[in-house]
Amino acid sequence: FDQAWTRTALSQAELFNRLQNAIQTGANSIDNFYVGYFLQFKIVERIRRRSINIPPHYRTPYLRSKLSLHPNTLTRISQHETLLRLSTIANASVAYACAMFFEPEEIYEDPDLNRLRCVPLDSAPAGWATSKRHFITFQTPFDQVPLWCSRPKKGEALSFTEWASPRREGGLKELTGK
């Protein structure tokens, strides 16, 4: 992941060690880990021409972010699979963060979190072949139902505020003082 916000009784090093172990072993809980928000930022490309990768019923131009399914040489797990496993850990909210910037000069504009679309990993399909290209696709920059492709499956896209909200169905629950 590129960015994380966590609440835990563990040191950062111990938290990372326990997260790595849980991802490797498939564990779905970590003691003394209370809540975590994890983002993996993706570049969004504007696709102007039709190709075999265009989802059915899409028209050009459309938007897509390439996903990494090539296994890491050390862990033998791809970035996508790592994030899927991380998303199964109790109290972890994991999403691809797709910034809707298309021209280089847009980076100098005032920050606007509304241009960030968060696609939770809990809507992602598992078991994709690593030999194929896979994407998250959007028909428009504010598309709320992107598609996970190569075989299209509906996903969910949220603003950053919606994704981080404890009131979101399927999101993290508010913590008690305990």
Side-chain angles (χ1 to χ4, degrees):
F1 52 88
D2 289 323
Q3 183 68 49
W5 297 269
T6 62
R7 175 62 72 184
T8 179
L10 305 169
S11 69
Q12 184 175 353
E14 184 61 25
L15 175 62
F16 276 26
N17 285 337
R18 290 192 187 186
L19 287 172
Q20 286 176 331
N21 185 55
I23 289 166
Q24 286 292 328
T25 64
N28 59 7
S29 67
I30 297 174
D31 290 338
N32 298 311
F33 173 70
Y34 308 123
V35 66
Y37 292 94
F38 301 88
L39 290 174
Q40 178 65 51
F41 285 83
K42 289 295 182 187
I43 295 171
V44 180
E45 297 177 274
R46 181 175 281 139
I47 307 300
R48 298 182 190 280
R49 296 178 188 242
R50 293 188 68 77
S51 73
I52 62 169
N53 294 317
I54 190 170
H57 307 101
Y58 266 42
R59 63 193 178 288
T60 56
Y62 71 100
L63 311 167
R64 74 178 184 200
S65 293
K66 184 178 178 183
L67 303 179
S68 175
L69 272 83
H70 297 291
N72 178 292
T73 54
L74 296 176
T75 65
R76 302 198 192 295
I77 302 171
S78 71
Q79 180 187 74
H80 183 70
E81 182 66 24
T82 297
L83 295 170
L84 279 173
R85 291 181 185 191
L86 179 60
S87 73
T88 67
I89 297 172
N91 299 322
S93 184
V94 184
Y96 284 117
C98 300
M100 298 297 169
F101 291 105
F102 305 106
E103 302 300 329
E105 59 274 4
E106 289 178 299
I107 196 75
Y108 300 109
E109 294 176 7
D110 289 338
D112 183 359
L113 283 177
N114 290 322
R115 294 181 73 176
L116 187 66
R117 303 305 294 161
C118 296
V119 182
L121 267 285
D122 56 13
S123 70
W128 273 346
T130 59
S131 59
K132 292 186 177 180
R133 295 175 67 196
H134 301 279
F135 305 93
I136 301 170
T137 63
F138 304 84
Q139 182 61 74
T140 67
F142 296 102
D143 192 347
Q144 294 182 319
V145 186
L147 294 177
W148 296 96
C149 296
S150 59
R151 268 181 304 199
K153 178 186 182 251
K154 289 182 179 179
E156 175 183 36
L158 307 164
S159 70
F160 179 81
T161 303
E162 291 168 329
W163 173 71
S165 173
R167 292 177 294 285
R168 175 174 72 90
E169 187 175 326
L172 299 176
K173 306 299 179 234
E174 288 191 42
L175 300 176
T176 65
K178 183 179 175 187

